[in-house]
Amino acid sequence: MAKVYVFDHPLIQHKITYIRDKNTGTKEFRELVDEVATLMMFEITRDMPLEEVDVETPVRVAKSNVLAGKKLGIVPILRAGIGMVDGILNLIPAAKVGHVGLYRDPKTLLPVEYYVKLPPDVENRDFIVVDPMLATGGSAVAAIDSLKKRGAKHIKFMCLIAAPEGVEAMQKAHPDVDMFIAGLDEKLDEKGYIVPGLGDAGDRLFGTK
Ligand code: URA
């Protein structure tokens, strides 16, 4: 069963409050999402493997650690996921970035893939799929299906706000994919919005309506 980590770090919780606030404008919203993505990434990378190297300090040679160079791929789900990418790259600037675009078929209501571009060496890469909102879970499940279909074996999922319905859908479809969440909310409303949530993350990030 996938693990669900809800980050209770005070800085993350503080910033999430202002992200939720309907009076937070586009510029500030974007900056806050960026900052929270950085803080979440700091926690998510806690288990990254290290290797010991010799480093010559001005005093003597020391044993010290560097990242073992595991290949990382960040995959935002279009479009709102893009808002979290720069914050992640602040910490891991060498990470490669793929994209998955999905729309909901108006008849079947099922997600349909319209764009997928992933970095090379999919089988040996650790992927973090990002989307600010995990609502019904339809897009996240489909995006991860799409990565697995192309050979991805190690995937984590990161979002700002999740509904219990989305967490359950992910656990059912992808029990191997751990989820990292800043706020676990109450429910979905009849239009599929997370309650209390933050509204439409894409519109708030890009200033559209
Ligand atoms: N997507 C959003 O942007 N907000 C929601 O509340 C649900 C899905």
Side-chain angles (χ1 to χ4, degrees):
M1 175 68 85
K3 293 196 191 79
V4 181
Y5 298 92
V6 182
F7 291 134
D8 58 359
H9 192 289
L11 286 176
I12 294 177
Q13 292 305 309
H14 175 85
K15 289 175 195 293
I16 284 289
T17 301
Y18 291 99
I19 286 175
R20 287 186 189 278
D21 189 337
K22 68 175 186 182
N23 296 312
T24 299
T26 304
K27 174 178 178 288
E28 201 189 345
F29 186 89
R30 217 177 264 154
E31 288 166 356
L32 286 163
V33 169
D34 197 66
E35 289 165 12
V36 169
T38 304
L39 292 167
M40 291 181 77
M41 193 60 186
F42 184 72
E43 294 285 344
I44 292 171
T45 48
R46 195 171 276 285
D47 64 352
M48 275 181 106
L50 293 169
E51 65 190 14
E52 198 176 71
V53 294
D54 288 338
V55 60
E56 218 170 307
T57 80
V59 179
R60 49 158 266 204
V61 172
K63 299 272 179 216
S64 198
N65 293 311
V66 293
L67 292 170
K70 217 162 188 321
K71 292 176 180 166
L72 199 63
I74 310 302
V75 182
I77 301 178
L78 302 178
R79 87 186 142 135
I82 288 176
M84 297 171 77
V85 172
D86 284 350
I88 293 171
L89 294 179
N90 280 340
L91 284 189
I92 322 244
K96 303 288 187 273
V97 181
H99 294 87
V100 176
L102 303 157
Y103 70 90
R104 192 194 283 234
D105 184 298
K107 285 204 184 92
T108 65
L109 300 182
L110 293 173
V112 181
E113 220 175 77
Y114 67 85
Y115 185 79
V116 180
K117 184 84 182 177
L118 300 179
D121 211 0
V122 170
E123 292 84 2
N124 300 315
R125 201 172 282 281
D126 284 357
F127 284 99
I128 303 178
V129 174
V130 299
D131 196 352
M133 309 301 274
L134 178 65
T136 61
S139 301
V141 167
I144 292 167
D145 280 342
S146 172
L147 260 68
K148 286 184 175 174
K149 205 166 66 191
R150 290 167 174 80
K153 294 192 171 55
H154 304 109
I155 306 172
K156 293 176 177 171
F157 178 76
M158 167 180 172
C159 68
L160 300 184
I161 309 288
E165 293 90 332
V167 171
E168 203 184 313
M170 277 282 287
Q171 278 179 324
K172 209 160 142 200
H174 297 297
D176 56 317
V177 176
D178 289 345
M179 283 171 268
F180 299 85
I181 296 166
L184 182 56
D185 279 9
E186 221 176 287
K187 59 175 184 180
L188 293 177
D189 70 10
E190 62 290 346
K191 289 189 185 142
Y193 279 97
I194 299 178
V195 180
L198 52 73
D200 187 303
D203 281 346
R204 295 198 62 192
L205 273 166
F206 298 112
T208 49
K209 197 75 185 122

